[in-house]
Amino acid sequence: MRTWAGSIAQPLWLQVGALAVADTAGLGEPSFQQLRIFLTLGEELHFGRAAARLHMTQPALSRQMKDLEKRLGVVPFSRDSRTVSFTEAGRGLTEEARVIVESMGRLRLRAGQWGRTLAGHVVVGTIGAEAAMPYTRAILEHLRASQPRLTVEIRSLNFTEHLVQLMSGDIDVAILRPPVPVGIELLELATEPRVACLAVTDPIADLAEISLADLGDRVFVDVPPEVPRVWWDFWAMDPRPDGTRVRYGPVVSDMEGLLLAVARGDGMCFLPAAARELFPRPGVRYLDVVDLSPSVSALGWPVQYRDRPGVRAVRAAASAIAVSSRGRTPPR
């Protein structure tokens, strides 16, 4: 039997609240991981799919949910042999859990950014084959020579990740192919033609060169909605010079998925001319396009982070490489 000094003088609601606290003492607050599991299960309403998304086993997910129920004092989901659904309490707690998870994600992101600054660490994102390009190697060599105490992490990113992570600050800088959304500054590194990427079975695949008009209304490979549309509209040439809109087909997130879709004949795309040497694939043919505008390679960084030490160091190295390769001062 629990007693408290002076409990008789307390209002009944305070006495009930004290009992509830005592009953759950020692359990602690829900963990960040448990709240992520709660939100993911709420989106999937299926234990197996939620576990797969979170890269964990279904029994482990179930154990975490049972522990979360004890910590919260409510049951967020009802479950029978076939279905999972929100309880009224679970639905009511979803928004609060989402706010906590998103806030914790921002906290971790900012802590990582400051940690990199204090530790002399910089994260350079690359897309496609940018890590293998001569200007990238030259920038990294210059950075190693000029900033020997700075550690550099190269992170290869897919179509969906590269601009999202750059805009969020999850990476410090990126070597990429513009255009980019507002809020990202660029230093141009190189220019090269773009080529059409078609299946070898396409009727025009054996031509020496083609024009945009030769492509007619062929289906173009698409990217996920998280990718800024300004970027993919450029790569799809949408709209075409005559004003027609592009017809889109399969959605892909990375270069290998894109090339597989082309080889299968499910769609076409435009790529930098370097793809001929860097991405030869069975079933894929690259063609020169006489009236297709070129592609630019650039170093990009979020405007609000331009003066962070790591970002400033990479910018200086890229500027030095651009000066030596062009013989002129690059734009700032």
Side-chain angles (χ1 to χ4, degrees), residues 152-207:
V152 181
E153 176 186 344
I154 307 300
R155 189 177 298 176
S156 180
L157 303 171
N158 63 32
F159 301 151
T160 305
E161 297 167 334
H162 79 295
L163 288 172
V164 172
Q165 290 198 21
L166 185 61
M167 289 186 290
S168 71
D170 197 34
I171 59 176
D172 296 299
V173 299
I175 299 176
L176 44 70
R177 301 278 175 149
V180 294
V182 174
I184 296 176
E185 293 182 331
L186 297 172
L187 172 62
E188 184 177 321
L189 300 172
T191 302
E192 68 175 305
R194 285 188 286 171
V195 295
C197 182
L198 298 164
V200 295
T201 54
D202 191 288
I204 65 172
D206 290 327
L207 296 178

Side-chain angles (χ1 to χ4, degrees), residues 42-184:
E43 292 171 1
E44 297 291 345
L45 294 178
H46 189 282
F47 275 73
R49 289 196 299 269
R53 272 183 59 183
L54 293 163
H55 305 290
M56 62 191 303
T57 65
Q58 188 170 330
L61 185 147
S62 296
R63 287 194 298 271
Q64 288 288 341
M65 284 304 304
K66 287 179 181 179
D67 188 62
L68 178 64
E69 291 172 4
K70 293 178 183 177
R71 291 170 186 267
L72 292 176
V74 298
V75 177
F77 299 99
S78 60
R79 181 185 185 188
D80 57 32
S81 59
R82 300 182 61 184
T83 62
V84 177
S85 59
F86 272 117
T87 63
E88 185 176 356
R91 186 174 292 106
L93 292 173
T94 297
E95 186 56 34
E96 298 298 330
R98 192 180 310 283
V99 169
I100 293 170
V101 169
E102 290 176 352
S103 296
M104 184 63 74
R106 289 192 295 271
L107 174 64
R108 288 180 167 181
L109 175 63
R110 297 296 176 258
Q113 292 169 351
W114 281 110
R116 294 199 300 269
T117 298
L118 296 173
H121 184 75
V122 65
V123 180
V124 179
T126 64
I127 183 174
E130 292 301 306
M133 300 302 281
Y135 42 80
T136 303
R137 296 198 302 271
I139 290 170
L140 295 177
E141 289 170 5
H142 190 283
L143 200 57
R144 187 182 301 113
S146 62
Q147 301 285 340
R149 299 181 64 181
L150 181 70
T151 59
V152 181
E153 176 186 344
I154 307 300
R155 189 177 298 176
S156 180
L157 303 171
N158 63 32
F159 301 151
T160 305
E161 297 167 334
H162 79 295
L163 288 172
V164 172
Q165 290 198 21
L166 185 61
M167 289 186 290
S168 71
D170 197 34
I171 59 176
D172 296 299
V173 299
I175 299 176
L176 44 70
R177 301 278 175 149
V180 294
V182 174
I184 296 176

